[in-house]
Amino acid sequence: MNPFTYHHGELHAEDTPLAAIAQQVGTPFYCYAQEALEERYRRLAAACAESGTKIAYAVKANGNLAVIATFARLGAGADIVSGGELQRALAAGVPADRIVFSGVGKTTAEIDMALEHGVGQLNVESEDELADISRVAASRGTQAPIALRVNPDVAAGGHDKISTGRKTDKFGVAFDRAAELYARAAADTHLAPRGLAIHIGSQIHDISAFETAIDRLVVLRGHIRDAGHAVPHLDLGGGLGVAYDGGEDMPPAPYGGLLARVAAETGAELTIEPGRWLVAGAGLLVGQVLATKDAGDRRFVIVDAAMNDLIRPALYEASHPVWPVKKPPENAATDVITLAGPVCESTDVLARDVALSGVGTGDLVAIGMAGAYGAVLSSGYNGRRLVPEVMVRGRDFTVVRRRPTYEESMALDSLPEWMAGPDGAERGVA
Ligand code: LLP
C-alpha cells in the first residue's frame, strides 16, 4: 500500500492533501501516514506468527512518540540504544519488559536507568560492559537480564557505512570469545544470561546474509548449551531492506519462513529488531521551491528543506524519490535536475539527476521514503530550526512534533556568567 497518491492532480497522504498541511504547518515538514505504519506492522507480524517471533521496533529509525505509540498499540516492543530512547519508548507506552537495550556503549547511568525500569534485556557488546552491568545490578541488589551480542563476521548491508556484522566492525563480542563470556555471565549472581543476539547491518535485501549469520549463531548456541547453559532466547536484529528506487522492499514471507525454521530447529524464543522496513515508506519530507537556476551543465532546484533535515543523501549517497506535489500536466517538459537545500555546503544535495517536470518557484516537492532515519538524524546546523512532524490518518492530520520558535532553538544556550549583566562587556577583559 502506497499511502502517497495523486487525487485530482494533488499529492495526498492517505486522504489528506499535502498542500493543506503545508498551508497550516509551513514548510519544510515531515509527514507520516499512520494507516501505512499499521499495515506494515501487521504484515511483518503476520510473517512472524508461525515462529512466535516478537517484534522490538528499532526506535532509532523514527523516535517520534506518535510513531512508537502506533506500534506499541499493535503489540510491539522496542529496541533502544540510549537513555533517551528508553524514556521515549516508556512514554509511548511500550511495556518495560518488552524493551531490548542494544548499543555498543552504555553509560553506567543508562544501565542503572534500564534496571530501575525493569527492561526485558540488555544486549552486551563487550567484556567491560558485562562487568559494568554486573556492578550496577549488584549495587541495586538485583539481577540483570542480558543477552550477548556476538559478531558473526558476515558482510551485509546496503552501504559500507551501515554494515555492522563484519569482524572489523565495532559491534558485538568476538565470536570465538562468546562461549567463555556466556559462562562467566552464568556464574555471576548479578547477571541472568538469557540468550544471544546479532545484528548484521541495515538495508539488506539478500536473505542468504541473514541465513548465514543465523546459522552461525545457532551453532554457537549449541556449543554454549553443550557446556551446560540454557540459551532460551535469540535476538536476530533488524536490517530488512526497502526499495528507494520504486522497486520491491524485502518481502516478509521468506524471512518469516526462515524464522519459522530457526524456531522449529532450536525451540528458542525469537525476537527481531526491525526499524527501516516498518517506517521508511510511510514518511515524506515536503519542501517548497525557493529558486531554480542553471549552473554549468546542471539545473538546480533549491528548496527550503536541507541536509540538516534529511542527511541520508549527503552521508550515504542515498537516493530518495522526488515527487511534485501538484501533478504536472501530461505534456509538461521533463527536466533533469539537482534538488538542493539552502545550507552552505556543496554536499547539501537532496537528490541528484532526478527527472522532475513542471516545478517552479513556490511549488511544493515531496521527498519520498523519508520515514526512516530522516527526522531522527536532523540537526540545527546553519541555525535552522528542527523540522515539524505531522501524522496523517485518513482525512485528519495533526502535528506530532511542532516547529520550535527561534527562542526555543536558542533556549539551551547561555552566556558565561562573566559576560552577563549590565557591565558584562567590561568583565572578562583581563
Ligand atoms: N538493531 C540494531 C542493533 C541496530 O543497530 C539497528 C540499526 C537496527 C536494529 C535497525 O536496523 P533497520 O531494521 O532499521 O535496518 N542511518 C542509517 C541506518 C543505520 C542503522 C543503524 N542500526 C541509514 O539511514 O541508512
Side-chain angles (χ1 to χ4, degrees):
M1 182 179 92
N2 177 10
F4 306 111
T5 50
Y6 290 97
H7 301 291
H8 308 296
E10 286 282 337
L11 191 59
H12 283 58
E14 298 186 357
D15 301 317
T16 303
L18 290 168
I21 303 175
Q23 198 167 28
Q24 191 166 318
V25 177
T27 54
F29 65 90
Y30 274 97
C31 174
Y32 310 129
Q34 193 173 39
E35 285 172 4
L37 293 170
E38 292 171 353
E39 192 246 1
R40 293 297 276 198
Y41 185 85
R42 290 203 178 97
R43 268 178 71 197
L44 194 57
C48 289
E50 189 186 341
S51 57
T53 301
K54 294 202 172 100
I55 299 176
Y57 165 59
V59 167
K60 65 170 75 69
N62 188 323
N64 189 286
L65 292 186
V67 173
I68 306 172
T70 300
F71 295 132
R73 287 189 187 186
L74 296 175
D79 168 60
I80 57 147
V81 290
S82 69
E85 286 191 350
L86 172 59
Q87 294 298 335
R88 281 181 177 271
L90 292 170
V94 180
D97 64 353
R98 297 291 313 279
I99 295 178
V100 177
F101 194 173
S102 303
V104 75
K106 306 170 187 68
T107 66
T108 303
E110 286 174 324
I111 295 166
D112 194 53
M113 194 195 293
L115 294 180
E116 179 191 346
H117 289 284
V119 303
Q121 177 174 309
L122 291 101
N123 287 354
V124 179
E125 297 232 6
S126 65
E127 215 169 318
D128 285 351
E129 189 172 79
L130 194 70
D132 210 20
I133 294 174
S134 169
R135 257 194 313 275
V136 179
S139 75
R140 292 197 149 268
T142 184
Q143 235 192 2
I146 61 131
L148 214 52
R149 175 169 173 187
V150 296
N151 184 322
D153 194 19
V154 171
H159 189 279
D160 184 53
K161 288 185 183 167
I162 55 174
S163 191
T164 53
R166 302 163 297 194
K167 69 178 171 199
T168 48
D169 293 319
K170 68 178 176 179
F171 298 97
V173 301
F175 211 69
D176 49 11
R177 295 288 320 281
E180 178 200 334
L181 283 183
Y182 203 93
R184 196 189 297 175
D188 187 322
T189 51
H190 297 292
L191 298 174
R194 61 193 297 269
L196 297 169
I198 49 170
H199 170 77
I200 54 174
S202 197
Q203 186 55 359
I204 300 167
H205 284 274
D206 175 10
I207 195 160
S208 67
F210 288 110
E211 262 167 356
T212 308
I214 293 172
D215 287 345
R216 286 187 192 169
L217 188 70
V218 169
V219 171
L220 175 64
R221 176 176 183 266
H223 292 324
I224 295 174
R225 278 163 54 92
D226 289 348
H229 306 293
V231 188
H233 205 95
L234 295 177
D235 177 346
L236 305 176
L240 283 76
V242 300
Y244 286 91
D245 59 0
E248 290 294 309
D249 295 346
M250 192 174 134
Y255 183 68
L258 170 62
L259 299 176
R261 168 173 76 78
V262 175
E265 283 173 14
T266 62
E269 301 153 18
L270 306 181
T271 297
I272 55 171
E273 305 168 347
R276 185 192 316 265
W277 195 91
L278 291 171
V279 289
L284 290 179
L285 173 62
V286 177
Q288 186 175 34
V289 177
L290 302 175
T292 61
K293 66 174 180 180
D294 295 310
D297 58 353
R298 283 182 185 274
R299 181 156 185 78
F300 283 93
V301 172
I302 313 288
V303 283
D304 59 2
M307 65 184 285
N308 71 297
D309 308 316
L310 178 66
I311 204 173
R312 301 196 70 260
L315 196 55
Y316 317 111
E317 289 106 36
S319 59
H320 287 251
V322 179
W323 301 299
V325 168
K326 197 186 251 325
K327 193 173 187 172
E330 298 290 331
N331 56 358
T334 300
D335 282 331
V336 174
I337 61 106
T338 295
L339 192 74
V343 162
C344 303
E345 301 258 358
S346 292
T347 184
D348 182 21
V349 165
L350 295 166
R352 238 172 249 287
D353 300 329
V354 284
L356 204 60
S357 47
V359 169
T361 305
D363 290 338
L364 299 172
V365 294
I367 301 162
M369 303 297 294
Y373 304 109
V376 277
L377 275 160
S378 61
S379 77
Y381 186 41
N382 273 205
R384 293 167 56 84
R385 291 177 292 168
L386 291 182
V387 179
E389 296 170 272
V390 172
M391 183 73 84
V392 168
R393 184 170 192 88
R395 289 173 196 284
D396 289 334
F397 71 90
T398 185
V399 174
V400 292
R401 181 177 80 186
R402 68 178 172 78
R403 197 187 311 277
T405 63
Y406 286 113
E407 289 71 25
E408 284 169 332
S409 288
M410 292 186 282
L412 297 179
D413 291 25
S414 56
L415 295 181
E417 104 0 78
W418 61 84
M419 289 176 75
D423 59 345
E426 269 98 300
R427 284 200 270 149
V429 178

